[in-house]
Amino acid sequence: MRLVRYGRPGKEKPGLIDDFGKLRDLSGVIDDIGPEQLSAKALRKLAKLDPETLPAVRGNPRFGVPLAKVGKFIGIGLNYSDHAAESGMPVPKEPIVFMKATSCLNGPDDPIMLPQGSKKTDWEVELGVVIGTRAQYVSEEDALKYVAGYCVVNDVSERAFQLERGPQWDKGKGCDTFGPVGPWLVTQDDIYDVQQLDLYLDLNGKRMQTGSTATMIFTVAQLVSYLSKFMTLEPGDIIATGTPPGVGQGRKPQRFLKKGDQLRLGIAGLGEQQADVIAWQAR
């Protein structure tokens, strides 16, 4: 299933995308798409619905983050060896973990704002993993059983805030709008092999990032198992699993986002984001 939340910010309704790409309204079946709707049992119930019995949504409404009530937004750094190389950093022996503030969550096509004082805002297309079942000390063999589905994440990062203003990365990761997620939450049953997904990102029509989850240093199963040893993973938590090479920081000369830029990024089977870059404004 491809689950979505659509409508004005703060007023989103639940929906799904049918096999013909048509948006169907789920608000007559569930109140929202959040932690309560992400269990295996709840998803099986939704999967039994006949999409043609659901109201079709007219027009082209805005898509919001495809799940509500996100508890934790966890990032993994340097999880592709070629990205580590372009960043001038060694391949990590264990996953590098940081947190993105949930206040940075953004609709997939909503504008990305440059924070005040920013000079090095960068892009990162990433596979997002959405937890569906509470996970504590789970094995790698069982780890994917705790995953509800997958989505596209842009781990937008202000590199000066991240790397030049102290040892913690979080300051450069959680600025407003720095967490576009979606357009869809694609459930496990629709993804044959999560370690064989192609990723891409274009800046102003020029290809910047091309990669595959096949080249991740730590697989999705390894990451879920690893994180569950340090924190309880709850339904609705999102894990951004790292980015392939081609970020602005790694280019020669370096290229960072500026007002008026346009980003287009996606992952095979998980949909596409398109966002304009604008100056910061209160929201």
Side-chain angles (χ1 to χ4, degrees):
M1 286 184 296
R2 293 176 288 176
L3 299 174
V4 300
R5 297 173 68 247
Y6 69 95
R8 292 178 295 149
K11 303 290 185 181
E12 291 93 346
K13 295 181 179 181
L16 63 78
I17 306 297
D18 69 18
D19 291 340
F20 302 98
K22 184 177 294 186
L23 173 60
R24 300 280 182 170
D25 179 38
L26 272 174
S27 59
V29 180
I30 53 177
D31 294 333
D32 208 341
I33 297 170
E36 298 82 6
Q37 290 77 36
L38 297 178
S39 69
K41 181 179 179 180
L43 291 176
R44 284 196 299 268
K45 185 176 179 180
L46 288 178
K48 292 179 181 178
L49 294 172
D50 180 356
E52 292 189 4
T53 65
L54 301 172
V57 179
R58 295 181 180 180
N60 295 291
R62 167 191 173 272
F63 283 167
V65 176
L67 64 152
K69 302 178 183 177
V70 176
K72 293 190 287 295
F73 196 178
I74 306 164
I76 304 297
L78 305 177
N79 197 27
Y80 291 72
S81 57
D82 35 12
H83 173 53
E86 73 173 353
S87 300
M89 298 181 183
V91 173
K93 296 180 180 179
E94 292 191 33
I96 294 173
V97 181
F98 59 89
M99 305 298 285
K100 289 178 73 76
T102 54
S103 55
C104 82
L105 287 165
N106 209 36
D109 300 330
D110 291 346
I112 294 170
M113 298 191 301
L114 298 172
Q116 294 182 14
S118 168
K119 295 182 179 179
K120 296 183 178 181
T121 296
D122 207 345
W123 57 83
E124 296 189 29
V125 59
E126 305 199 5
L127 170 70
V129 177
V130 177
I131 299 299
T133 303
R134 198 168 196 247
Q136 297 175 309
Y137 294 97
V138 302
S139 67
E140 289 181 26
E141 292 74 19
D142 292 334
L144 295 186
K145 297 176 183 177
Y146 295 82
V147 174
Y150 306 99
C151 55
V152 181
V153 172
N154 187 357
D155 176 22
V156 186
S157 308
E158 212 299 339
R159 301 301 188 189
F161 296 0
Q162 175 190 354
L163 301 171
E164 300 170 20
R165 300 183 65 172
Q168 299 297 325
W169 287 13
D170 298 30
K171 287 182 286 188
K173 295 288 189 173
C175 303
D176 290 346
T177 73
F178 271 24
V181 177
W184 314 318
L185 167 59
V186 181
T187 53
Q188 279 264 35
D189 55 306
D190 270 8
I191 301 298
Y192 177 71
D193 184 352
V194 72
Q195 299 303 153
Q196 294 290 332
L197 300 179
D198 293 331
L199 307 85
Y200 64 90
L201 182 144
D202 296 343
L203 172 65
N204 300 329
K206 180 180 178 181
R207 183 58 47 93
M208 294 291 177
Q209 288 187 274
T210 303
S212 170
T213 57
T215 64
M216 288 168 61
I217 298 168
F218 304 104
T219 66
V220 171
Q222 289 172 324
L223 292 174
V224 172
S225 175
Y226 181 85
L227 291 170
S228 76
K229 295 176 173 62
F230 297 97
M231 64 189 82
T232 298
L233 299 176
E234 300 282 4
D237 287 351
I238 300 174
I239 305 167
T241 58
T243 197
V247 300
Q249 180 189 39
R251 306 190 74 82
K252 297 181 180 179
Q254 292 182 330
R255 168 66 158 94
F256 297 110
L257 293 173
K258 61 182 185 295
K259 180 181 176 181
D261 282 341
Q262 294 181 318
L263 288 170
R264 174 177 170 267
L265 58 144
I267 301 176
L270 302 183
E272 183 175 88
Q273 300 181 4
Q274 297 189 57
D276 295 328
V277 178
I278 64 172
W280 185 87
Q281 54 187 249
R283 63 171 190 164

